[in-house]
Amino acid sequence: MKIEEVFARRRFIMLDGAMGTQLQLRGLTTEQKPELAAFIMPDVLTAVHRDYARAGADILLANTFGANPRKLKGTGYTVQQVIEASIACARTAAQETGALVALDIGPIGELLAPAGTLPFEDACAQFAEMVRAGAAAGADLVFLETMTDLYELKAAILAAKENCDLPVFTSMSFEARGRTFTGCTVESYGITAAGLGADAVGINCSLGPKEIFPMAKRLTEAVPGNFPVFVKPNAGLPRADGSGYDITPQLFALEMKPYRELNLFAAGGCCGTTPEFIRLLNGVFKGCVPGRPAHAMPSVLCTPMNYVNVDGITVVGERINPTGKKRFQQALRENDMNYVLEQAVSQVEAGAQVLDVNVGAPGVDEPALMPQVVKALQSVVSLPLQLDSSNVQALENGLRVYNGKPIVNSTNGEPEKLKAILPLCKKYGAAIVGLAIDERGILPAAEDRVAIARRITEAALEAGIPREDIYIDCLTLTASAQQKDVLATVQALEACKKELGVRTILGVSNISFGLPCRPYLNTT
Protein backbone atom coordinates (compact mmCIF):
# COMPACT_ATOMS: atom_id res chain seq x y z
CA MET A 1 0.00 0.00 0.00
CA LYS A 2 1.10 3.56 -0.73
CA ILE A 3 0.31 6.49 1.54
CA GLU A 4 -1.60 8.13 -1.33
CA GLU A 5 -4.04 5.22 -1.25
CA VAL A 6 -4.78 5.90 2.41
CA PHE A 7 -5.97 9.41 1.61
CA ALA A 8 -7.78 8.36 -1.55
CA ARG A 9 -10.00 6.59 1.02
CA ARG A 10 -11.25 3.91 -1.30
CA ARG A 11 -11.74 1.68 1.71
CA PHE A 12 -11.59 1.62 5.48
CA ILE A 13 -8.07 1.67 6.98
CA MET A 14 -7.19 -0.78 9.73
CA LEU A 15 -4.68 0.25 12.39
CA ASP A 16 -2.75 -2.17 14.60
CA GLY A 17 -3.14 -2.96 18.31
CA ALA A 18 -1.13 -2.73 21.51
CA MET A 19 2.64 -3.07 21.43
CA GLY A 20 3.68 -2.74 25.10
CA THR A 21 1.40 -5.47 26.43
CA GLN A 22 2.40 -7.77 23.57
CA LEU A 23 6.10 -7.33 24.32
CA GLN A 24 5.46 -8.07 27.99
CA LEU A 25 3.53 -11.23 27.14
CA ARG A 26 6.42 -12.33 24.94
CA GLY A 27 9.20 -11.89 27.47
CA LEU A 28 9.99 -8.21 28.06
CA THR A 29 10.71 -7.74 31.78
CA THR A 30 9.87 -4.76 33.94
CA GLU A 31 13.59 -3.96 34.21
CA GLN A 32 13.93 -3.64 30.42
CA LYS A 33 13.02 -0.51 28.51
CA PRO A 34 10.36 -1.21 25.86
CA GLU A 35 11.90 1.51 23.68
CA LEU A 36 14.97 -0.71 23.27
CA ALA A 37 13.11 -3.82 22.11
CA ALA A 38 14.71 -3.52 18.65
CA PHE A 39 18.05 -4.25 20.34
CA ILE A 40 16.94 -6.52 23.21
CA MET A 41 14.54 -8.76 21.27
CA PRO A 42 14.40 -7.74 17.58
CA ASP A 43 12.92 -11.03 16.40
CA VAL A 44 10.09 -10.80 18.95
CA LEU A 45 9.39 -7.18 18.00
CA THR A 46 9.27 -8.08 14.32
CA ALA A 47 6.97 -11.00 15.10
CA VAL A 48 4.50 -8.74 16.91
CA HIS A 49 4.38 -6.42 13.92
CA ARG A 50 4.00 -9.37 11.56
CA ASP A 51 1.11 -10.79 13.56
CA TYR A 52 -0.72 -7.47 13.34
CA ALA A 53 -0.06 -7.23 9.61
CA ARG A 54 -1.41 -10.75 9.08
CA ALA A 55 -4.46 -9.82 11.16
CA GLY A 56 -5.21 -7.11 8.60
CA ALA A 57 -3.48 -3.97 9.88
CA ASP A 58 -2.80 -1.53 7.05
CA ILE A 59 -0.56 0.68 9.21
CA LEU A 60 2.00 -0.64 11.68
CA LEU A 61 3.14 1.73 14.42
CA ALA A 62 6.88 1.34 14.93
CA ASN A 63 8.06 0.78 18.50
CA THR A 64 9.18 4.41 18.84
CA PHE A 65 6.48 5.72 21.20
CA GLY A 66 8.97 6.71 23.91
CA ALA A 67 12.09 7.13 21.79
CA ASN A 68 12.62 10.75 22.78
CA PRO A 69 15.83 12.32 24.13
CA ARG A 70 14.49 12.51 27.70
CA LYS A 71 13.52 8.84 27.97
CA LEU A 72 16.62 7.56 26.18
CA LYS A 73 19.02 9.53 28.36
CA GLY A 74 21.48 7.19 30.01
CA THR A 75 20.60 4.16 27.85
CA GLY A 76 23.68 4.40 25.66
CA TYR A 77 21.52 4.71 22.54
CA THR A 78 20.70 7.81 20.52
CA VAL A 79 17.27 8.79 19.23
CA GLN A 80 18.43 8.11 15.70
CA GLN A 81 19.74 4.63 16.53
CA VAL A 82 16.56 3.54 18.33
CA ILE A 83 14.19 4.92 15.71
CA GLU A 84 16.19 3.51 12.82
CA ALA A 85 16.30 0.01 14.36
CA SER A 86 12.63 0.08 15.38
CA ILE A 87 11.40 1.18 11.97
CA ALA A 88 13.57 -1.50 10.36
CA CYS A 89 11.79 -4.20 12.40
CA ALA A 90 8.38 -2.86 11.40
CA ARG A 91 9.44 -2.56 7.77
CA THR A 92 10.61 -6.18 7.71
CA ALA A 93 7.24 -7.31 9.04
CA ALA A 94 5.35 -5.08 6.61
CA GLN A 95 6.96 -6.62 3.53
CA GLU A 96 4.66 -9.64 3.64
CA THR A 97 1.41 -7.66 3.32
CA GLY A 98 2.51 -4.26 2.04
CA ALA A 99 1.44 -2.45 5.22
CA LEU A 100 2.67 1.08 5.86
CA VAL A 101 5.01 1.93 8.75
CA ALA A 102 4.38 4.92 11.03
CA LEU A 103 6.82 6.76 13.24
CA ASP A 104 4.95 6.51 16.55
CA ILE A 105 5.45 9.44 18.94
CA GLY A 106 3.99 9.71 22.43
CA PRO A 107 4.31 12.36 25.16
CA ILE A 108 7.80 13.37 26.28
CA GLY A 109 7.03 12.51 29.89
CA GLU A 110 7.39 16.01 31.32
CA LEU A 111 4.72 18.71 31.58
CA LEU A 112 5.20 21.84 29.52
CA ALA A 113 5.27 25.26 31.18
CA PRO A 114 3.25 26.82 32.73
CA ALA A 115 1.80 23.55 34.13
CA GLY A 116 5.32 22.12 34.33
CA THR A 117 8.87 23.25 33.67
CA LEU A 118 9.55 22.13 30.09
CA PRO A 119 9.76 25.17 27.75
CA PHE A 120 7.62 24.98 24.61
CA GLU A 121 10.54 25.31 22.18
CA ASP A 122 12.48 22.59 24.05
CA ALA A 123 9.53 20.25 23.47
CA CYS A 124 9.49 21.25 19.80
CA ALA A 125 13.21 20.46 19.56
CA GLN A 126 12.82 16.99 21.12
CA PHE A 127 9.96 16.10 18.80
CA ALA A 128 11.86 17.51 15.82
CA GLU A 129 14.80 15.20 16.54
CA MET A 130 12.45 12.20 16.49
CA VAL A 131 10.72 13.36 13.30
CA ARG A 132 13.97 13.87 11.41
CA ALA A 133 15.19 10.44 12.48
CA GLY A 134 11.90 8.80 11.48
CA ALA A 135 11.82 10.46 8.06
CA ALA A 136 15.45 9.47 7.43
CA ALA A 137 14.66 5.87 8.44
CA GLY A 138 11.88 5.66 5.86
CA ALA A 139 8.66 6.08 7.88
CA ASP A 140 5.54 6.53 5.74
CA LEU A 141 3.78 8.84 8.19
CA VAL A 142 4.04 10.41 11.64
CA PHE A 143 1.59 9.16 14.29
CA LEU A 144 1.29 11.40 17.38
CA GLU A 145 -0.72 9.50 19.99
CA THR A 146 -1.82 9.28 23.63
CA MET A 147 -1.39 13.02 24.11
CA THR A 148 -3.17 14.64 27.05
CA ASP A 149 -1.79 18.19 26.78
CA LEU A 150 -2.95 20.21 23.77
CA TYR A 151 0.12 22.44 24.11
CA GLU A 152 2.44 19.44 23.85
CA LEU A 153 0.47 18.18 20.86
CA LYS A 154 0.90 21.58 19.19
CA ALA A 155 4.67 21.36 19.74
CA ALA A 156 4.68 17.89 18.18
CA ILE A 157 2.58 18.92 15.17
CA LEU A 158 4.76 21.95 14.49
CA ALA A 159 7.88 19.80 14.80
CA ALA A 160 6.46 17.30 12.31
CA LYS A 161 5.29 19.92 9.80
CA GLU A 162 8.57 21.87 9.99
CA ASN A 163 10.92 18.89 9.73
CA CYS A 164 9.35 16.52 7.21
CA ASP A 165 6.72 16.33 4.50
CA LEU A 166 5.05 13.14 5.79
CA PRO A 167 1.34 12.95 6.67
CA VAL A 168 0.64 13.59 10.36
CA PHE A 169 -1.98 11.65 12.35
CA THR A 170 -2.82 12.90 15.84
CA SER A 171 -4.61 11.28 18.77
CA MET A 172 -5.46 12.36 22.31
CA SER A 173 -6.55 10.36 25.35
CA PHE A 174 -9.67 11.45 27.20
CA GLU A 175 -11.03 10.60 30.62
CA ALA A 176 -14.62 9.49 31.23
CA ARG A 177 -15.62 13.12 31.98
CA GLY A 178 -14.92 14.01 28.33
CA ARG A 179 -11.70 15.94 28.93
CA THR A 180 -8.04 15.00 28.90
CA PHE A 181 -5.98 14.84 32.09
CA THR A 182 -5.04 18.51 31.57
CA GLY A 183 -8.65 19.58 30.91
CA CYS A 184 -8.70 19.80 27.11
CA THR A 185 -12.10 19.33 25.47
CA VAL A 186 -12.73 17.08 22.48
CA GLU A 187 -13.80 20.06 20.38
CA SER A 188 -10.77 22.19 21.24
CA TYR A 189 -8.53 19.29 20.30
CA GLY A 190 -10.20 18.59 16.97
CA ILE A 191 -10.35 22.16 15.73
CA THR A 192 -6.83 23.03 16.92
CA ALA A 193 -5.13 19.94 15.49
CA ALA A 194 -6.91 20.29 12.15
CA GLY A 195 -6.02 23.99 12.02
CA LEU A 196 -2.35 23.26 12.67
CA GLY A 197 -2.25 20.98 9.65
CA ALA A 198 -2.84 17.49 11.05
CA ASP A 199 -4.03 15.09 8.35
CA ALA A 200 -6.22 13.01 10.70
CA VAL A 201 -7.51 13.27 14.27
CA GLY A 202 -8.42 10.48 16.64
CA ILE A 203 -8.92 9.24 20.17
CA ASN A 204 -6.93 6.43 21.74
CA CYS A 205 -6.16 4.75 25.07
CA SER A 206 -7.61 5.37 28.58
CA LEU A 207 -11.05 3.87 27.90
CA GLY A 208 -12.85 1.07 26.09
CA PRO A 209 -15.05 1.33 22.96
CA LYS A 210 -18.29 2.00 24.81
CA GLU A 211 -16.87 4.93 26.80
CA ILE A 212 -15.04 6.52 23.86
CA PHE A 213 -17.99 6.37 21.44
CA PRO A 214 -19.78 9.61 22.52
CA MET A 215 -16.47 11.48 22.42
CA ALA A 216 -15.70 10.09 18.96
CA LYS A 217 -19.10 11.33 17.81
CA ARG A 218 -18.33 14.80 19.16
CA LEU A 219 -14.98 14.74 17.37
CA THR A 220 -16.62 13.95 14.02
CA GLU A 221 -18.93 16.93 14.55
CA ALA A 222 -16.08 19.28 15.48
CA VAL A 223 -14.21 18.84 12.18
CA PRO A 224 -15.41 19.03 8.55
CA GLY A 225 -17.23 16.01 7.09
CA ASN A 226 -14.34 15.13 4.79
CA PHE A 227 -11.74 15.28 7.55
CA PRO A 228 -10.38 11.84 8.60
CA VAL A 229 -11.28 10.66 12.13
CA PHE A 230 -10.14 7.41 13.77
CA VAL A 231 -10.25 5.58 17.12
CA LYS A 232 -8.02 3.13 18.98
CA PRO A 233 -9.80 2.14 22.23
CA ASN A 234 -8.33 -0.03 24.97
CA ALA A 235 -9.53 -3.57 25.60
CA GLY A 236 -11.72 -2.13 28.34
CA LEU A 237 -10.15 -1.43 31.72
CA PRO A 238 -7.27 -3.22 33.47
CA ARG A 239 -8.34 -5.99 35.87
CA ALA A 240 -7.69 -5.28 39.54
CA ASP A 241 -5.49 -8.38 39.88
CA GLY A 242 -3.18 -7.22 37.08
CA SER A 243 -4.01 -10.20 34.87
CA GLY A 244 -4.92 -8.13 31.81
CA TYR A 245 -7.92 -6.21 30.50
CA ASP A 246 -11.59 -6.96 30.99
CA ILE A 247 -12.84 -7.12 27.38
CA THR A 248 -12.41 -10.16 25.14
CA PRO A 249 -11.75 -9.80 21.40
CA GLN A 250 -15.34 -10.86 20.70
CA LEU A 251 -16.84 -8.29 23.09
CA PHE A 252 -14.50 -5.62 21.73
CA ALA A 253 -15.73 -6.30 18.20
CA LEU A 254 -19.34 -6.17 19.40
CA GLU A 255 -18.83 -2.85 21.16
CA MET A 256 -17.11 -1.39 18.08
CA LYS A 257 -20.12 -2.01 15.81
CA PRO A 258 -21.84 1.33 16.66
CA TYR A 259 -18.78 3.12 15.26
CA ARG A 260 -19.87 2.06 11.77
CA GLU A 261 -22.47 4.83 11.84
CA LEU A 262 -19.78 7.47 12.40
CA ASN A 263 -18.22 6.79 8.96
CA LEU A 264 -14.73 6.80 10.44
CA PHE A 265 -11.58 6.78 8.39
CA ALA A 266 -9.75 4.14 10.44
CA ALA A 267 -9.82 2.09 13.65
CA GLY A 268 -7.52 -0.10 15.70
CA GLY A 269 -6.80 -1.03 19.29
CA CYS A 270 -4.71 0.30 22.13
CA CYS A 271 -3.70 -1.16 25.51
CA GLY A 272 -4.61 -4.81 25.99
CA THR A 273 -5.63 -5.46 22.39
CA THR A 274 -3.99 -8.32 20.45
CA PRO A 275 -3.79 -9.42 16.81
CA GLU A 276 -7.03 -11.33 17.39
CA PHE A 277 -8.78 -8.06 18.25
CA ILE A 278 -7.60 -6.58 14.95
CA ARG A 279 -8.64 -9.67 12.97
CA LEU A 280 -12.19 -9.45 14.34
CA LEU A 281 -12.23 -5.66 13.89
CA ASN A 282 -11.62 -6.18 10.19
CA GLY A 283 -14.91 -8.03 10.05
CA VAL A 284 -16.75 -5.25 11.89
CA PHE A 285 -15.72 -2.60 9.37
CA LYS A 286 -15.82 -4.76 6.25
CA GLY A 287 -17.54 -2.83 3.47
CA CYS A 288 -17.43 0.50 5.34
CA VAL A 289 -16.53 3.48 3.19
CA PRO A 290 -14.89 6.42 4.99
CA GLY A 291 -16.26 9.92 4.74
CA ARG A 292 -19.13 11.69 6.45
CA PRO A 293 -21.75 13.98 4.94
CA ALA A 294 -20.65 17.61 4.82
CA HIS A 295 -22.00 19.77 7.60
CA ALA A 296 -21.92 23.50 8.18
CA MET A 297 -18.84 24.40 10.19
CA PRO A 298 -19.21 26.92 13.01
CA SER A 299 -16.69 29.69 13.47
CA VAL A 300 -14.78 28.74 16.57
CA LEU A 301 -12.09 30.24 18.77
CA CYS A 302 -10.69 28.20 21.62
CA THR A 303 -8.25 27.47 24.36
CA PRO A 304 -7.87 23.90 25.63
CA MET A 305 -10.66 24.33 28.18
CA ASN A 306 -12.85 26.98 26.55
CA TYR A 307 -14.52 26.54 23.17
CA VAL A 308 -16.30 29.67 21.90
CA ASN A 309 -18.73 29.24 19.01
CA VAL A 310 -19.04 32.67 17.42
CA ASP A 311 -22.73 32.48 16.62
CA GLY A 312 -24.47 35.79 17.18
CA ILE A 313 -23.05 38.62 19.25
CA THR A 314 -19.71 37.68 20.79
CA VAL A 315 -18.04 40.29 22.98
CA VAL A 316 -14.33 41.01 22.54
CA GLY A 317 -12.76 42.81 25.50
CA GLU A 318 -10.25 45.40 24.26
CA ARG A 319 -8.77 46.77 27.47
CA ILE A 320 -5.41 45.02 26.96
CA ASN A 321 -4.31 47.81 24.64
CA PRO A 322 -1.87 50.63 25.47
CA THR A 323 -3.30 53.13 22.96
CA GLY A 324 -4.01 56.34 24.88
CA LYS A 325 -3.28 54.66 28.24
CA LYS A 326 -0.12 55.97 29.89
CA ARG A 327 -0.35 53.57 32.84
CA PHE A 328 -0.64 50.58 30.52
CA GLN A 329 2.31 51.76 28.43
CA GLN A 330 4.37 52.08 31.60
CA ALA A 331 3.39 48.55 32.67
CA LEU A 332 4.52 47.14 29.33
CA ARG A 333 7.86 48.96 29.42
CA GLU A 334 8.43 47.68 32.97
CA ASN A 335 7.29 44.18 32.07
CA ASP A 336 4.61 44.46 34.77
CA MET A 337 2.57 41.35 34.01
CA ASN A 338 0.42 41.75 37.10
CA TYR A 339 -1.13 44.92 35.69
CA VAL A 340 -1.83 43.18 32.37
CA LEU A 341 -3.39 40.22 34.15
CA GLU A 342 -5.58 42.52 36.27
CA GLN A 343 -7.00 43.99 33.07
CA ALA A 344 -7.68 40.50 31.76
CA VAL A 345 -9.41 39.23 34.89
CA SER A 346 -11.62 42.34 35.16
CA GLN A 347 -12.82 41.80 31.58
CA VAL A 348 -13.54 38.13 32.23
CA GLU A 349 -15.61 39.13 35.24
CA ALA A 350 -17.46 41.71 33.13
CA GLY A 351 -18.53 39.04 30.65
CA ALA A 352 -16.02 39.26 27.79
CA GLN A 353 -15.86 36.11 25.67
CA VAL A 354 -12.63 36.87 23.79
CA LEU A 355 -9.72 39.10 24.87
CA ASP A 356 -7.88 41.36 22.44
CA VAL A 357 -4.13 41.54 23.13
CA ASN A 358 -2.13 44.53 21.90
CA VAL A 359 1.32 45.31 23.34
CA GLY A 360 2.49 47.90 20.83
CA ALA A 361 3.80 50.97 22.64
CA PRO A 362 6.81 53.33 22.35
CA GLY A 363 9.93 51.83 23.91
CA VAL A 364 8.54 48.26 23.86
CA ASP A 365 10.14 45.32 22.04
CA GLU A 366 6.84 44.07 20.68
CA PRO A 367 8.08 40.79 19.09
CA ALA A 368 9.70 39.83 22.40
CA LEU A 369 6.83 40.96 24.61
CA MET A 370 3.88 39.51 22.68
CA PRO A 371 4.69 35.82 23.42
CA GLN A 372 5.42 36.66 27.07
CA VAL A 373 2.02 38.31 27.47
CA VAL A 374 0.22 35.51 25.62
CA LYS A 375 1.78 32.88 27.89
CA ALA A 376 1.08 34.92 31.03
CA LEU A 377 -2.56 35.44 30.05
CA GLN A 378 -3.08 31.77 29.21
CA SER A 379 -1.70 30.76 32.59
CA VAL A 380 -4.44 32.76 34.34
CA VAL A 381 -7.53 33.07 32.09
CA SER A 382 -9.14 30.48 29.82
CA LEU A 383 -10.75 32.81 27.25
CA PRO A 384 -9.56 32.72 23.62
CA LEU A 385 -7.28 35.59 22.59
CA GLN A 386 -7.34 37.98 19.65
CA LEU A 387 -3.71 38.83 18.83
CA ASP A 388 -3.65 42.45 17.78
CA SER A 389 -0.57 43.94 16.12
CA SER A 390 0.71 45.63 12.98
CA ASN A 391 4.09 43.95 13.61
CA VAL A 392 4.21 40.70 11.65
CA GLN A 393 7.02 39.21 13.76
CA ALA A 394 5.12 39.97 16.95
CA LEU A 395 2.07 38.19 15.52
CA GLU A 396 4.10 35.13 14.56
CA ASN A 397 5.78 34.96 17.96
CA GLY A 398 2.41 35.18 19.69
CA LEU A 399 0.75 32.65 17.40
CA ARG A 400 3.54 30.14 17.94
CA VAL A 401 3.12 29.97 21.71
CA TYR A 402 -0.68 30.32 21.79
CA ASN A 403 -2.43 27.22 23.10
CA GLY A 404 -5.58 26.59 21.05
CA LYS A 405 -7.12 28.48 18.12
CA PRO A 406 -6.81 32.30 18.23
CA ILE A 407 -7.90 35.11 15.92
CA VAL A 408 -5.52 37.66 14.39
CA ASN A 409 -6.39 41.35 14.39
CA SER A 410 -5.71 42.25 11.65
CA THR A 411 -4.92 42.51 7.95
CA ASN A 412 -6.37 44.85 5.31
CA GLY A 413 -6.70 45.01 1.54
CA GLU A 414 -3.07 45.95 0.88
CA PRO A 415 -1.38 43.10 -1.06
CA GLU A 416 1.80 43.22 1.07
CA LYS A 417 -0.24 42.88 4.27
CA LEU A 418 -2.21 39.94 2.91
CA LYS A 419 0.96 38.23 1.69
CA ALA A 420 2.64 38.61 5.10
CA ILE A 421 -0.21 37.74 7.47
CA LEU A 422 -2.44 35.15 5.77
CA PRO A 423 0.26 32.43 5.58
CA LEU A 424 0.85 32.86 9.33
CA CYS A 425 -2.85 32.34 10.04
CA LYS A 426 -2.86 29.24 7.85
CA LYS A 427 0.23 27.73 9.51
CA TYR A 428 -0.98 28.29 13.06
CA GLY A 429 -4.68 27.62 12.43
CA ALA A 430 -5.89 31.12 13.33
CA ALA A 431 -8.96 33.03 12.21
CA ILE A 432 -8.35 36.42 10.62
CA VAL A 433 -9.89 39.89 10.87
CA GLY A 434 -9.79 41.82 7.59
CA LEU A 435 -10.29 45.58 7.71
CA ALA A 436 -12.21 47.01 4.73
CA ILE A 437 -9.46 49.52 4.11
CA ASP A 438 -6.40 49.65 1.86
CA GLU A 439 -3.63 52.07 0.90
CA ARG A 440 -6.31 54.64 -0.05
CA GLY A 441 -7.60 54.81 3.53
CA ILE A 442 -11.23 54.45 4.64
CA LEU A 443 -13.48 54.83 1.61
CA PRO A 444 -16.87 56.45 2.26
CA ALA A 445 -18.97 54.34 -0.12
CA ALA A 446 -20.24 50.94 1.02
CA GLU A 447 -19.56 49.32 -2.36
CA ASP A 448 -15.89 50.34 -2.18
CA ARG A 449 -15.50 48.76 1.26
CA VAL A 450 -17.25 45.60 0.05
CA ALA A 451 -14.85 45.42 -2.91
CA ILE A 452 -11.91 45.46 -0.49
CA ALA A 453 -13.64 42.87 1.70
CA ARG A 454 -14.08 40.66 -1.37
CA ARG A 455 -10.36 40.97 -2.17
CA ILE A 456 -9.45 39.98 1.40
CA THR A 457 -11.89 37.06 1.38
CA GLU A 458 -10.59 35.69 -1.92
CA ALA A 459 -6.97 35.99 -0.76
CA ALA A 460 -7.76 34.24 2.54
CA LEU A 461 -9.56 31.38 0.78
CA GLU A 462 -6.64 31.03 -1.63
CA ALA A 463 -4.27 30.84 1.36
CA GLY A 464 -6.30 27.90 2.71
CA ILE A 465 -8.23 29.72 5.43
CA PRO A 466 -11.83 28.43 5.54
CA ARG A 467 -14.64 30.92 4.98
CA GLU A 468 -15.95 30.48 8.52
CA ASP A 469 -12.63 31.81 9.86
CA ILE A 470 -12.75 35.06 7.87
CA TYR A 471 -14.05 38.12 9.75
CA ILE A 472 -14.54 41.42 7.94
CA ASP A 473 -14.51 44.73 9.81
CA CYS A 474 -16.60 47.19 7.77
CA LEU A 475 -15.26 50.00 10.00
CA THR A 476 -17.43 51.96 12.39
CA LEU A 477 -17.01 55.73 12.12
CA THR A 478 -17.94 58.44 14.62
CA ALA A 479 -21.55 59.55 14.29
CA SER A 480 -20.70 62.93 15.78
CA ALA A 481 -18.25 63.84 13.01
CA GLN A 482 -19.07 61.60 10.03
CA GLN A 483 -22.85 61.20 10.01
CA LYS A 484 -22.97 60.79 6.24
CA ASP A 485 -20.57 57.80 6.34
CA VAL A 486 -22.19 55.94 9.24
CA LEU A 487 -24.86 54.34 7.06
CA ALA A 488 -22.17 52.95 4.74
CA THR A 489 -21.05 50.66 7.56
CA VAL A 490 -24.52 49.14 7.85
CA GLN A 491 -24.81 48.74 4.08
CA ALA A 492 -21.36 47.15 3.79
CA LEU A 493 -22.12 44.85 6.71
CA GLU A 494 -25.26 43.54 5.01
CA ALA A 495 -23.45 43.02 1.70
CA CYS A 496 -20.58 41.11 3.35
CA LYS A 497 -23.06 38.77 5.01
CA LYS A 498 -25.19 38.16 1.91
CA GLU A 499 -22.61 38.27 -0.88
CA LEU A 500 -19.44 36.98 0.78
CA GLY A 501 -20.88 34.73 3.48
CA VAL A 502 -18.22 35.74 5.98
CA ARG A 503 -18.31 36.63 9.67
CA THR A 504 -18.19 40.28 10.66
CA ILE A 505 -16.70 42.24 13.53
CA LEU A 506 -17.14 45.88 14.55
CA GLY A 507 -15.59 48.22 17.08
CA VAL A 508 -19.03 49.55 17.92
CA SER A 509 -17.86 52.01 20.59
CA ASN A 510 -16.28 54.12 17.84
CA ILE A 511 -19.72 55.35 16.76
CA SER A 512 -20.37 57.10 20.09
CA PHE A 513 -16.99 58.83 20.37
CA GLY A 514 -17.45 62.40 21.63
CA LEU A 515 -21.12 61.89 22.49
CA PRO A 516 -22.85 61.71 25.88
CA CYS A 517 -24.35 58.50 27.29
CA ARG A 518 -21.90 56.33 25.37
CA PRO A 519 -22.77 53.00 27.09
CA TYR A 520 -26.41 53.36 26.00
CA LEU A 521 -25.48 54.25 22.43
CA ASN A 522 -22.99 51.37 22.22
CA THR A 523 -25.52 48.89 23.53
CA THR A 524 -28.13 50.10 21.05
Side-chain angles (χ1 to χ4, degrees):
M1 176 182 282
K2 295 185 182 299
I3 193 65
E4 293 78 15
E5 294 176 39
V6 171
F7 289 103
R9 296 202 265 163
R10 300 188 186 100
R11 64 176 178 82
F12 193 84
I13 299 299
M14 190 56 57
L15 305 172
D16 62 8
M19 175 56 73
T21 46
Q22 281 296 293
L23 290 175
Q24 290 168 2
L25 287 170
R26 303 187 193 201
L28 186 76
T29 67
T30 53
E31 290 79 28
Q32 294 172 317
K33 278 188 171 289
E35 293 84 5
L36 303 182
F39 302 102
I40 300 168
M41 47 201 309
D43 293 341
V44 171
L45 176 58
T46 302
V48 174
H49 285 309
R50 187 178 291 116
D51 287 349
Y52 279 124
R54 288 173 177 172
D58 297 304
I59 298 176
L60 303 177
L61 273 61
N63 185 43
T64 54
F65 180 85
N68 62 60
R70 181 183 182 276
K71 289 186 178 178
L72 293 181
K73 189 176 181 180
T75 64
Y77 292 94
T78 65
V79 168
Q80 184 175 346
Q81 289 171 330
V82 172
I83 287 178
E84 189 176 282
S86 299
I87 287 180
C89 288
R91 183 67 68 198
T92 299
Q95 288 174 355
E96 185 177 309
T97 64
L100 298 173
V101 173
L103 170 69
D104 188 25
I105 297 179
I108 291 171
E110 183 178 355
L111 284 174
L112 272 67
T117 57
L118 181 64
F120 180 79
E121 289 300 340
D122 285 5
C124 286
Q126 291 198 48
F127 287 127
E129 187 176 351
M130 297 177 74
V131 168
R132 288 192 295 269
D140 296 300
L141 66 146
V142 177
F143 204 107
L144 311 172
E145 66 164 337
T146 324
M147 296 289 182
T148 60
D149 182 355
L150 187 62
Y151 207 30
E152 184 173 20
L153 179 64
K154 176 174 181 173
I157 294 174
L158 288 177
K161 304 297 285 187
E162 292 172 351
N163 289 277
C164 76
D165 57 3
L166 300 175
V168 179
F169 289 15
T170 68
S171 186
M172 293 195 83
S173 297
F174 292 86
E175 297 179 347
R177 62 191 177 122
R179 291 178 180 263
T180 68
F181 169 73
T182 58
C184 180
T185 70
V186 171
E187 290 79 9
S188 291
Y189 156 55
I191 205 72
T192 300
L196 287 168
D199 296 284
V201 293
I203 297 174
N204 80 296
C205 207
S206 294
L207 303 166
K210 194 180 292 184
E211 294 81 10
I212 285 178
F213 181 81
M215 300 177 217
K217 187 173 188 300
R218 285 166 54 193
L219 185 56
T220 63
E221 293 166 353
V223 295
N226 63 349
F227 199 86
V229 176
F230 64 90
V231 293
K232 288 189 72 178
N234 284 352
L237 299 173
R239 295 193 191 99
D241 62 4
S243 62
Y245 287 73
D246 65 0
I247 291 183
T248 63
Q250 293 75 19
L251 183 56
F252 185 85
L254 184 67
E255 292 189 355
M256 286 296 289
K257 282 186 177 179
Y259 285 86
R260 290 172 59 96
E261 69 187 60
L262 298 184
N263 297 111
L264 298 178
F265 156 75
C270 204
C271 300
T273 58
T274 68
E276 179 63 7
F277 281 73
I278 303 307
R279 187 185 69 79
L280 293 177
L281 207 54
N282 258 305
V284 171
F285 290 100
K286 187 176 182 181
C288 286
V289 178
R292 304 175 306 285
H295 60 269
M297 285 297 295
S299 187
V300 169
L301 305 173
C302 74
T303 61
M305 293 178 281
N306 197 323
Y307 183 86
V308 176
N309 184 352
V310 183
D311 183 15
I313 295 296
T314 302
V315 179
V316 180
E318 293 201 322
R319 299 295 299 167
I320 305 174
N321 189 321
T323 305
K325 302 172 191 164
K326 291 183 179 179
R327 175 67 186 91
F328 204 117
Q329 293 175 17
Q330 179 188 352
L332 292 178
R333 283 192 290 269
E334 295 174 355
N335 208 33
D336 182 359
M337 289 297 165
N338 285 335
Y339 184 83
V340 176
L341 295 176
E342 285 170 9
Q343 299 300 310
V345 171
S346 67
Q347 292 180 97
V348 172
E349 292 172 346
Q353 293 159 282
V354 179
L355 298 181
D356 187 83
V357 183
N358 186 316
V359 296
V364 169
D365 184 348
E366 196 176 348
L369 189 57
M370 178 66 90
Q372 292 179 41
V373 171
V374 168
K375 288 191 283 188
L377 287 169
Q378 291 208 287
S379 69
V380 172
V381 298
S382 64
L383 294 188
L385 303 182
Q386 177 173 273
L387 306 190
D388 182 358
S389 179
S390 58
N391 186 310
V392 176
Q393 190 60 56
L395 284 176
E396 177 161 22
N397 293 353
L399 286 169
R400 189 167 184 86
V401 301
Y402 181 86
N403 192 0
K405 177 185 174 183
I407 183 168
V408 166
N409 184 20
S410 58
T411 187
N412 58 37
E414 297 176 40
E416 316 83 62
K417 278 273 192 182
L418 294 169
K419 188 177 178 182
I421 292 173
L422 294 180
L424 288 181
C425 294
K426 172 59 178 173
K427 176 178 179 177
Y428 293 105
I432 180 69
V433 171
L435 305 179
I437 186 174
D438 59 16
E439 60 276 4
R440 297 169 294 175
I442 299 177
L443 302 177
E447 56 266 29
D448 292 331
R449 295 190 209 175
V450 175
I452 296 171
R454 182 175 287 106
R455 190 190 318 152
I456 294 169
T457 300
E458 289 171 355
L461 292 171
E462 189 177 342
I465 298 169
R467 195 178 296 272
E468 64 268 14
D469 285 344
I470 303 169
Y471 290 71
I472 296 296
D473 187 339
C474 296
L475 304 170
T476 316
L477 303 178
T478 54
S480 59
Q482 296 163 286
Q483 291 182 30
K484 215 168 54 172
D485 300 333
V486 167
L487 188 58
T489 298
V490 181
Q491 294 167 338
L493 180 69
E494 183 180 27
C496 285
K497 287 288 189 187
K498 290 182 176 177
E499 297 174 25
L500 304 181
V502 294
R503 263 58 177 189
T504 52
I505 184 168
L506 286 172
V508 292
S509 61
N510 288 353
I511 200 167
S512 64
F513 189 79
L515 295 175
C517 304
R518 291 190 69 189
Y520 297 104
L521 285 168
N522 295 344
T523 302
T524 302

